[in-house]
Amino acid sequence: RITQSKMTMISNERTNSAALKVLMDKKTAKLSGQMVMVNYVLKLLHLVCENHNSKMQSYIREQSNRKTSVDLVREVVALLVRLQSEVTTESVRVLVQALETLTEFVQGPNVQNQKSLFNSALLPTLNAVLHETYPDVPRRQVSCLKAKVASLLLGMLEGAKDATGPQQILDSIEMDPTLQGMETAVETS
């Protein structure tokens, strides 16, 4: 059950950094209750933007009718960056959901959300995910994780009218190791 105080903690821009530290306690081997809640919130955000709901996609980025607006696109990227640095068998589910949620934020395409992702720390993080082997995570989960990265990259390119976005991806994603990793994933699956 999600309480009002927990929702306030998640939506309050000032507490998000502190919330991320609580969520990713290195001493915890299992998903904490907060991580389970974050996964549900990510799924909710995913669902409200599903089917290219452009009004909700834009609202997720900027709540112009509110005194304080929280760019949830950037917040999900911040969560993804944090999760990527400490992937475990348990946390990979939240990482996959974050990637799926970001994909829904940009599909349609939603050009402003695409720009927000291109102007964030996302691409270096995706590059790291593509190259990491995650030896403590089952291969199937690693393959799913990398497939979600590919889906997000495709979503970021959807409707591209110039070479800026594709060039940023080419500049950020090291293709040779990525292709080798994909071949290895196919061979072992």
Side-chain angles (χ1 to χ4, degrees):
R1 183 176 148 186
I2 299 175
T3 65
Q4 183 61 36
S5 64
K6 289 180 183 177
M7 287 301 292
T8 302
M9 181 183 81
I10 290 170
S11 65
N12 186 332
E13 189 172 27
R14 284 184 237 148
T15 62
N16 275 338
S17 297
L20 291 176
K21 290 175 187 170
V22 170
L23 295 174
M24 292 300 297
D25 181 1
K26 289 182 181 180
K27 297 175 186 170
T28 305
K30 291 179 152 184
L31 280 178
S32 66
Q34 292 101 341
M35 286 294 284
V36 171
M37 186 179 64
V38 167
N39 204 45
Y40 285 135
V41 170
L42 288 169
K43 185 63 176 179
L44 175 66
L45 293 172
H46 171 152
L47 292 173
V48 299
C49 292
E50 205 162 58
N51 295 322
H52 314 299
N53 186 338
S54 63
K55 287 183 182 181
M56 283 307 294
Q57 287 172 323
S58 295
Y59 191 76
I60 292 293
R61 185 185 64 261
E62 179 182 15
Q63 303 84 44
S64 57
N65 63 337
R66 308 291 298 176
K67 183 178 178 181
T68 303
S69 181
V70 178
D71 185 347
L72 292 172
V73 175
R74 292 276 182 144
E75 292 300 329
V76 174
V77 170
L79 175 66
L80 185 71
V81 169
R82 180 73 174 111
L83 287 171
Q84 186 279 323
S85 67
E86 300 174 25
V87 176
T88 65
T89 301
E90 293 78 19
S91 67
V92 74
R93 289 178 287 166
V94 179
L95 188 57
V96 165
Q97 184 59 59
L99 290 164
E100 289 177 350
T101 300
L102 287 172
T103 302
E104 283 301 325
F105 287 174
V106 298
Q107 286 183 332
N110 186 296
V111 175
Q112 290 304 104
N113 287 353
Q114 287 173 330
K115 286 179 183 178
S116 183
L117 293 183
F118 278 115
N119 294 322
S120 72
L122 181 66
L123 289 175
T125 302
L126 296 181
N127 187 53
V129 169
L130 289 170
H131 297 128
E132 183 60 52
T133 59
Y134 305 112
D136 298 332
V137 178
R139 282 247 181 248
R140 179 176 239 180
Q141 287 182 309
V142 173
S143 294
C144 177
L145 178 64
K146 293 181 183 213
K148 298 300 178 184
V149 168
S151 294
L152 177 55
L153 288 169
L154 287 173
M156 291 171 68
L157 293 173
E158 190 175 319
K161 294 192 178 358
D162 63 29
T164 305
Q167 189 60 51
Q168 278 185 271
I169 290 173
L170 287 172
D171 292 344
S172 299
I173 306 294
E174 298 171 55
M175 290 301 172
D176 288 337
T178 300
L179 293 173
Q180 289 171 351
M182 293 170 89
E183 288 172 5
T184 302
V186 168
E187 290 170 2
T188 60
S189 60

